[in-house]
Amino acid sequence: MDRKTNRREKEYEEKHSNSEGCDADKDYKTSLITLNVGGYLYITQKQTLTKYPDSLLEGVINGKIMCPLDTDGHYFIDRDGLLFRHILNFLRNGELLLPEGFRENQLLAQEAEFFQLKVLSDAVKSRWEKEQLACRETTFLEITDSHDRSQGLRIFCNAPDFIAKIKSRIVLVSKSRLDGFPEEFAVSSNIIQFKYFIKSENGTRLVLKEDNTFVCTLETLKFEAIMMALKCGFRLLTSLDCSKGSIVHSDALHFIK
């Protein structure tokens, strides 16, 4: 009798457990939503689409707003399918993250307004205004070499992205010998300074990321900054003194773009 009872209890527990598992799996599947936006299919969670109350997507998912279905039964929204990925990323991350070189701010702002996402619309417009302002401003670059061990090479630019390019182009690699090694430090997002170091000391070197060329002089570092400036469209304003020998030996170089 006890054996039969135990068996029945075990069968009931297994059946109940399987039933709970099926319900959980069913709930998970129903939380996934497929959207057809301009012919592009996006699969995401219900909680992502309903993150912002009173948005169009929240209204559609919660049945407040009628939305047509495609032939497969997915919600169909007749908008820019490619741009919708930025809308979805904003809903996922809670902030505006766009790829480098993105130039469709106006279109994205329109999409944000259509989907009734005011926070996103404001963020896109603010980004666009900053870009417009930056285009109207003259970009100024100054490269100075004070020949002072405490200061060394100083690179100033009112465009932080150019400073970031300089930093990513040149890296310090030999940390085994710090004495006399060029110590780089950023004063602000617009300035980098490299302390002077002695050419003859062993172990003092820089490596250039693209071609792995090892160099040992501050002049070479200055030359890299000058070449990068010219490649990025800067124009040299400094009038060179012939007695200096070359552009690299000039104490101060000024560029504009």
Side-chain angles (χ1 to χ4, degrees):
M1 184 70 178
D2 290 340
R3 288 180 181 175
K4 287 183 178 179
T5 303
N6 291 337
R7 190 184 305 151
R8 285 176 184 173
E9 289 177 351
K10 187 175 182 182
E11 288 175 353
Y12 174 79
E13 287 175 359
E14 288 178 354
K15 185 177 180 181
H16 187 65
S17 176
N18 289 335
S19 176
E20 286 182 345
C22 289
D23 290 341
D25 186 53
K26 199 177 294 182
D27 290 341
Y28 176 72
K29 286 180 179 178
T30 55
S31 73
L32 294 179
I33 306 291
T34 301
L35 295 177
N36 181 341
V37 184
Y40 290 82
L41 295 181
Y42 292 90
I43 302 174
T44 187
Q45 295 185 74
K46 179 179 179 180
Q47 64 188 42
T48 301
L49 297 174
T50 58
K51 185 173 183 179
Y52 289 88
D54 300 325
S55 69
L56 182 135
L57 291 170
E58 186 270 338
V60 168
I61 301 305
N62 288 331
K64 301 174 188 177
I65 300 174
M66 294 296 293
C67 181
L69 304 178
D70 65 10
T71 54
D72 294 318
H74 304 137
Y75 292 112
F76 176 77
I77 303 175
D78 191 15
R79 300 301 294 186
D80 192 318
L82 283 174
L83 280 178
F84 186 73
R85 76 184 184 98
H86 303 304
I87 302 285
L88 193 54
N89 281 333
F90 174 78
L91 294 174
R92 289 166 174 160
N93 302 315
E95 61 178 321
L96 179 62
L97 299 171
L98 296 173
E100 186 177 350
F102 183 80
R103 289 291 179 269
E104 297 183 299
N105 293 297
Q106 281 183 291
L107 286 174
L108 185 56
Q110 287 181 349
E111 295 301 295
E113 288 178 3
F114 172 83
F115 287 104
Q116 298 169 23
L117 293 166
K118 188 177 185 305
V119 179
L120 175 57
S121 178
D122 290 343
V124 176
K125 288 177 181 177
S126 175
R127 180 183 187 274
W128 184 37
E129 288 171 359
K130 287 179 181 177
E131 286 186 353
Q132 293 291 94
L133 185 63
C135 289
R136 290 194 294 267
E137 289 181 349
T138 300
T139 306
F140 178 78
L141 169 66
E142 180 184 60
I143 301 175
T144 55
D145 183 358
S146 64
H147 302 289
D148 181 350
R149 287 179 176 277
S150 65
Q151 298 300 322
L153 183 67
R154 179 180 182 273
I155 303 171
F156 167 82
C157 184
N158 60 349
D161 60 332
F162 181 76
I163 292 294
K165 284 181 181 179
I166 292 284
K167 288 175 70 67
S168 64
R169 169 69 174 147
I170 303 169
V171 293
L172 306 182
V173 292
S174 178
K175 295 185 178 179
S176 59
R177 179 70 180 270
L178 295 179
D179 293 338
F181 199 70
E183 179 187 349
E184 168 261 327
F185 58 97
V187 177
S188 70
S189 60
N190 297 113
I191 300 173
I192 309 177
Q193 287 187 247
F194 292 88
K195 289 187 177 181
Y196 218 90
F197 67 104
I198 302 172
K199 176 180 176 180
S200 60
E201 285 200 39
N202 295 325
T204 61
R205 61 182 182 177
L206 297 172
V207 62
L208 308 182
K209 280 187 172 181
E210 293 179 6
D211 53 15
N212 291 327
T213 303
F214 290 95
V215 297
C216 295
T217 66
L218 201 60
E219 283 74 17
T220 307
L221 188 145
K222 187 195 293 186
F223 178 76
E224 284 297 317
I226 294 168
M227 291 304 297
M228 185 172 290
L230 297 175
K231 286 179 182 178
C232 290
F234 282 92
R235 183 164 55 91
L236 181 63
L237 291 180
T238 304
S239 178
L240 294 178
D241 182 353
C242 295
S243 63
K244 292 293 182 181
S246 72
I247 187 173
V248 176
H249 295 100
S250 180
D251 292 338
L253 297 168
H254 301 92
F255 300 79
I256 61 167
K257 183 167 69 168

